[in-house]
Structures are given as C-alpha cells and as structure tokens.
Amino acid sequence: PWIEPLQTGLANLSPRELSSAVGPYAPHLARLLPDLRERLPLPDGPPPETRGDRRWLFDGVVRVLVHLGQRSPVLLLLDDLQWGASLALLQHVAQHLQHCRVLIVAGYRDDELTERPHLAQALPALPRAGWHHQLRLPPLSAAATQALLAAYLGPGLAQQLATEVYAKTSGNPFF
C-alpha cells in the first residue's frame, strides 16, 4: 500500500526536488520505487550493504513524507493492514511524523486480529507513537444493508435481495 502513494507524491517533482526529497536514501528507496533509477543518477545494482538496511529504507520513506508535507498537506490512505506487510513501516513512520503535515488513515478488519497476531501486537504501539485515533465501524444492520442495496440497485431489487445479502455478509459492506 505504500508504493503507489509514494510514486504519486514524487511524480511531479523536478530532478532537483526529487534528489532533495530522497537524499542519501535514494538507493534504498529504489528497491521500493524502481522508477527512481530512471529519474536520478543512481549506481547500478543493489544499494551498498549497510547495517540496518531496513531502517535506511524506512528512514527514506519518512524523509519523502516530510519533504512532501513541507510542500503541501499529505493524506496517505493505507488499507488492509491485517495482511501485515506494511505494519513495521507504519510503526516507524508514526514515530517520526508527529509534527509534519501528514495524515495517515489506516484500515484493517478487526475480525481478523485473532488470525493475524502481528497486527494485534502492533496496534497498541501506535498510541505510544503519539498520533493514534481509532474509529470502529460496526457491521450494518439489516435495514442499513437494504438501504445500501437500494441506493445501488433500486428499492424493488434491494427488497428482494436484502435478507439473503445480510445473511451472507453479516452486515459487512465490503463482502
């Protein structure tokens, strides 16, 4: 979920601004954002071996977000955190962006917390990073499910399907 927003944020920067945004982290960020190799003069091959290589990548993402936030406010939408690939990066970013114009909205399905212990362990660390607000979205009621169906399908078809859709989805509008 990080690649597309970072690419979008960096897409319209001049080579000089891009170089400033990525700084010394460019070779590490190029692993995540391969198009950097086309836009900046970077050495061929992987970045030089550095102790804490993952930290260089994470610090590079922080640097990019700080740079973009200095230009204009940034809204970063991350979905499906339950899959885990971006959790460590989110924790790192959360610790370093407290005073930047960057708002991160991250979503996950809490019904999968028991199946994904890494998520259940990571979430309590976010409030300690100083920027956490949790908003729980409960399942839709049967009536709300029917209203949602009516908005898309019309009232007649919605009335026919609502009971079956609600039974199969338990009110989860994403299913």
Side-chain angles (χ1 to χ4, degrees):
W2 293 88
I3 295 171
E4 186 177 347
L6 291 172
Q7 284 176 328
T8 301
L10 295 173
N12 294 321
L13 298 183
S14 69
R16 184 175 177 206
E17 284 180 301
L18 180 61
S19 182
S20 175
V22 297
Y25 304 102
H28 300 278
L29 286 167
R31 293 185 330 197
L32 187 64
L33 308 167
D35 63 316
L36 286 179
R37 293 198 175 283
E38 298 168 13
R39 297 183 60 202
L40 293 174
L42 297 176
D44 289 334
E49 286 301 315
T50 310
R51 296 191 97 178
D53 202 38
R54 183 171 130 171
R55 179 160 179 122
W56 274 81
L57 175 64
F58 286 12
D59 286 346
V61 170
V62 168
R63 181 178 174 122
V64 166
L65 291 173
V66 167
H67 181 86
L68 294 174
Q70 289 171 342
R71 296 185 61 187
S72 64
V74 173
L75 171 61
L76 182 62
L77 302 173
L78 303 173
D79 198 13
D80 290 329
L81 289 183
Q82 72 272 9
W83 300 114
S86 57
L87 271 176
L89 180 53
L90 176 61
Q91 287 177 294
H92 184 81
V93 166
Q95 294 171 0
H96 294 89
L97 291 181
Q98 294 170 353
H99 303 290
C100 296
R101 296 186 314 166
V102 176
L103 173 64
I104 300 173
V105 177
Y108 64 91
R109 290 188 274 174
D110 61 358
D111 59 335
E112 294 196 21
L113 288 177
T114 55
E115 297 172 27
R116 311 244 187 269
H118 59 277
L119 180 61
Q121 293 167 356
L123 290 175
L126 295 177
R128 289 193 302 270
W131 67 273
H132 177 265
H133 178 76
Q134 187 171 19
L135 176 64
R136 291 193 184 275
L137 301 176
L140 298 175
S141 66
T145 300
Q146 183 171 342
L148 181 62
L149 288 170
Y152 286 97
L153 306 173
L157 191 52
Q159 190 171 12
Q160 294 172 14
L161 296 174
T163 302
E164 185 178 346
V165 168
Y166 183 75
K168 289 188 177 190
T169 64
S170 301
N172 186 334
F174 297 110
F175 290 129

